[in-house]
Amino acid sequence: MIEFRDVTKQYPDGTVAVDGLDLTVEDGKITVFVGPSGCGKTTSLRMINRMIDPTGGSILLDGKDIRESDPPLLRRGIGYVIQHAGLFPHRTVLDNVATVPLLTGAGKRAARARAAELLELVGLPQEVARRYPPQLSGGQQQRVGVARALAADPPVLLMDEPFSAVDPVVRDDLQQQLLRLQSELDKTIVFVTHDIDEAIKIGDRVAVFRVGGRLAQYDTPSALLAK
Ligand code: ADP
Ligand code: ADP
């Protein structure tokens, strides 16, 4: 469970990106942060893994203030997926994913086996594993990004507009895949998008942000649609 308690973030230039955010992200659910550009979604997301620290209030992960956690250690339990997958272009797809288990002490063979398993889980055919990221389509790269984020088996997954740079058909496929993955893996996912349709499609809970970094609504998609 991730609890935002009266969280505020003011950047050094005076911009208030997030203003008094109170919100609880439930375990095992997909919580979507949605709203127009500049309303504080990414800032809120990045405060969860301490890429950004709040200037007011606190964030609790399973009851513990994350300020008491060492950022690298905290991030071991929190996967992170961004719009452009951020893969290493000079390593094969398999090695991009295998790097993570290697870093956490797995042997080379075990790491590669794990990577192959994850690539299959995100729906990539085996031959893609031997290619290099620049040889992949945008949608395929995003799948690799998801596989890599899952490689450390983190209980929490942060996703920042992960599907926004791909065309609508591929996007739909990626969304379906994420829903299937979620039903198998039971992660706590926080997903940022500016697209309300996407939010309603994939969210168990939807947090609607408005300009000024305030929370306008926080509810299930069906409750939001009924309003
Ligand atoms: P969103 O993800 O909803 O587009 P952001 O969290 O990226 O919103 O940004 C929220 C507000 O904070 C915007 O006004 C943005 O311009 C501002 N902002 C983001 N990063 C910085 C920064 N490093 N310094 C100053 N202002 C920033
Ligand atoms: P699209 O918008 O078509 O889905 P992207 O925005 O993901 O594609 O990528 C744009 C271009 O940048 C593509 O040619 C892609 O191969 C390349 N590219 C994107 N990310 C990477 C990366 N991490 N390493 C190397 N090339 C990349």
Side-chain angles (χ1 to χ4, degrees), residues 183-204:
S183 65
E184 277 180 46
L185 300 179
D186 202 34
K187 301 284 177 196
T188 302
I189 296 178
V190 188
F191 188 108
V192 164
T193 181
H194 60 266
D195 179 352
I196 188 73
D197 293 331
E198 182 171 59
I200 286 185
K201 199 154 134 194
I202 69 160
D204 296 305

Side-chain angles (χ1 to χ4, degrees), residues 175-189:
Q175 290 164 344
Q176 297 307 329
Q177 181 84 38
L178 181 67
L179 290 174
R180 273 200 302 278
L181 266 180
Q182 172 60 2
S183 65
E184 277 180 46
L185 300 179
D186 202 34
K187 301 284 177 196
T188 302
I189 296 178

Side-chain angles (χ1 to χ4, degrees), residues 139-162:
Q140 287 175 325
Q141 290 183 24
Q142 286 313 100
R143 289 177 197 271
V144 180
V146 174
R148 191 173 59 176
L150 292 172
D153 200 21
V156 178
L157 198 57
L158 308 181
M159 308 184 85
D160 195 351
E161 302 258 4

